[in-house]
């Protein structure tokens, strides 16, 4: 396991020592770890609770788990661990934080082996995604169930378009107003995105996740190129301006309709409507 890879990159499972002869250390120095049969939640995902801290004090009342698929951390969700197991995790964490006295943010990551906590990683000095989630949850949705996932938005999908889609689907979480919904903690078009689903149950979190995922993946409406030469018109055209919203079927962010006879022949932006 590479020492400096934090999202599961470069992990190699060996069945015999001779395989090390072909390892070229693509991520630098490595650790050798035992491949243990760690315990899993009821849905088959590895049980992986996290404790987040700021300057030696744990953050958040709601416990969370990493969502580990294969070797990769794919997100964060409300913990699936038992209360007895969490009490052991919290007791271990309090003792560790007291000993190491960290001066910034971080997390302690656990697995479960033979019914007992197994400290798997100690992260120092950065705002890990689970910590960001906890700070957001404690501020705007304390006690709620949460589900955090990562997804790279398409380069063509703007934040304004995505937020409009969430609102049109009635799943946009507005801090200080909403009790449930989906909120983008990070949105960098074409680069990276972190999204959180917030609800009163795991099932509703999953439903909001599915709706938001569709909003992220829907293709954008295609712009219709005007003809090179104006076509002769045989009917009267009427321009209806300044509509509050126009959907086709998703929100277009345009506000003017061109009507010919009984049909809509164009949805125009401000510049086109002005000509």
């Amino acid at each position: 396991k590479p020492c400096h890879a934090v999202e599961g990159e470069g992990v190699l499972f060996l069945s015999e020592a001779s395989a090390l002869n072909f390892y070229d250390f693509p991520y630098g120095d490595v650790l050798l770890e035992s491949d243990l049969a760690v315990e899993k939640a009821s849905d088959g995902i590895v049980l992986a609770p996290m404790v987040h801290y700021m300057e030696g004090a744990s953050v958040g009342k709601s416990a969370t788990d990493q969502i580990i698929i294969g070797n990769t951390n794919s997100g964060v969700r409300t913990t699936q661990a038992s209360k007895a197991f969490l009490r052991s995790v919290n007791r271990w964490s309090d003792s560790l934080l007291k000993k190491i006295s960290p001066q910034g943010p971080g997390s302690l990551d656990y697995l479960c082996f033979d019914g007992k906590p197994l400290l798997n990683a100690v992260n120092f000095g950065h705002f890990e995604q689970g910590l960001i989630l906890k700070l957001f949850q404690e501020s705007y949705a304390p006690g709620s169930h949460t589900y955090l996932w990562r997804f790279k938005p398409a380069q063509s999908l703007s934040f304004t378009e995505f937020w409009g889609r969430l609102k049109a689907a009635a799943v946009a979480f507005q801090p200080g107003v909403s009790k449930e919904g989906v909120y983008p903690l990070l949105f960098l078009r074409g680069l990276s995105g972190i999204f959180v689903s917030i609800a009163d149950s795991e099932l509703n979190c999953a439903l909001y996740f599915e709706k938001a995922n569709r909003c992220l993946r829907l293709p954008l409406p295609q712009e219709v190129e005007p003809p090179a030469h104006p076509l002769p018109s045989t009917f009267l055209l009427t321009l209806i301006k300044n509509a509050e919203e126009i959907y086709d079927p998703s929100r277009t962010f345009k506000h003017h309709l061109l009507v010919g006879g009984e049909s809509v022949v164009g949805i125009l932006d401000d510049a086109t409507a002005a000509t």
Side-chain angles (χ1 to χ4, degrees), residues 1-266:
K1 178 180 179 181
C3 295
H4 302 295
V6 296
E7 299 295 346
E9 309 97 326
V11 175
L12 179 65
F13 291 88
L14 302 176
S15 58
E16 53 188 32
S18 61
L20 283 172
N21 295 327
F22 304 100
Y23 190 76
D24 58 359
F25 299 89
Y27 293 91
D29 292 344
V30 300
L31 301 171
L32 293 179
E33 295 187 348
S34 297
D35 180 19
L36 302 177
V38 295
E39 297 183 21
K40 298 179 179 180
S42 58
D43 56 5
I45 295 178
V46 171
L47 191 61
M50 299 180 291
V51 172
H52 296 91
Y53 61 82
M54 287 282 291
E55 295 185 341
S58 59
V59 174
K61 298 179 181 178
S62 301
T64 53
D65 288 352
Q66 295 184 76
I67 303 172
I68 299 176
I69 307 298
N71 299 324
T72 304
N73 179 354
S74 301
V76 181
R77 64 178 179 176
T78 301
T79 188
Q80 309 294 299
S82 67
K83 291 182 179 179
F85 184 80
L86 290 176
R87 282 196 294 269
S88 296
V89 165
N90 290 331
R91 187 168 61 251
W92 283 31
S93 300
D94 289 343
S95 179
L96 281 168
L97 293 175
K98 185 176 180 180
K99 292 289 185 181
I100 62 180
S101 300
Q103 299 302 303
S107 69
L108 304 173
D109 301 345
Y110 292 88
L111 298 171
C112 180
F113 177 68
D114 197 22
K116 298 177 181 179
L118 177 68
L119 183 62
N120 183 55
V122 180
N123 300 302
F124 293 112
H126 70 278
F127 280 87
E128 191 265 342
Q129 61 183 4
L131 177 55
I132 297 172
L133 168 63
K134 281 192 174 179
L135 294 173
F136 183 86
Q137 181 184 14
E138 291 298 309
S139 296
Y140 300 112
S144 297
H145 287 261
T146 56
Y147 182 91
L148 177 147
W149 77 99
R150 292 194 300 245
F151 183 84
K152 182 173 76 172
Q155 178 65 40
S156 58
L157 180 63
S158 68
F159 175 80
T160 303
E161 168 70 19
F162 173 63
W163 186 249
R165 290 179 177 185
L166 288 183
K167 293 178 72 174
V171 297
F173 181 88
Q174 301 185 59
V177 178
S178 308
K179 293 184 177 180
E180 297 185 346
V182 171
Y183 190 81
L185 295 173
L186 174 69
F187 191 99
L188 300 174
R189 56 195 294 181
L191 295 174
S192 180
I194 299 177
F195 308 88
V196 58
S197 173
I198 299 168
D200 60 354
S201 68
E202 279 189 70
L203 176 60
N204 285 335
C205 272
L207 293 174
Y208 284 131
F209 161 75
E210 292 295 341
K211 290 181 179 181
N213 220 16
R214 286 196 292 270
C215 292
L216 284 166
R217 296 172 185 272
L218 279 174
L220 293 171
Q222 297 295 314
E223 295 286 342
V224 178
E225 293 291 333
H229 302 286
L231 299 176
S233 175
T234 58
F235 49 81
L236 179 67
L237 296 177
T238 302
L239 178 61
I240 302 174
K241 301 183 72 174
N242 301 320
E244 185 170 336
E245 300 288 354
I246 299 176
Y247 293 82
D248 181 35
S250 60
R251 188 182 179 189
T252 64
F253 296 96
K254 298 178 181 179
H255 303 282
H256 314 287
L257 286 176
L258 188 62
V259 179
E262 297 181 354
S263 302
V264 174
V265 296

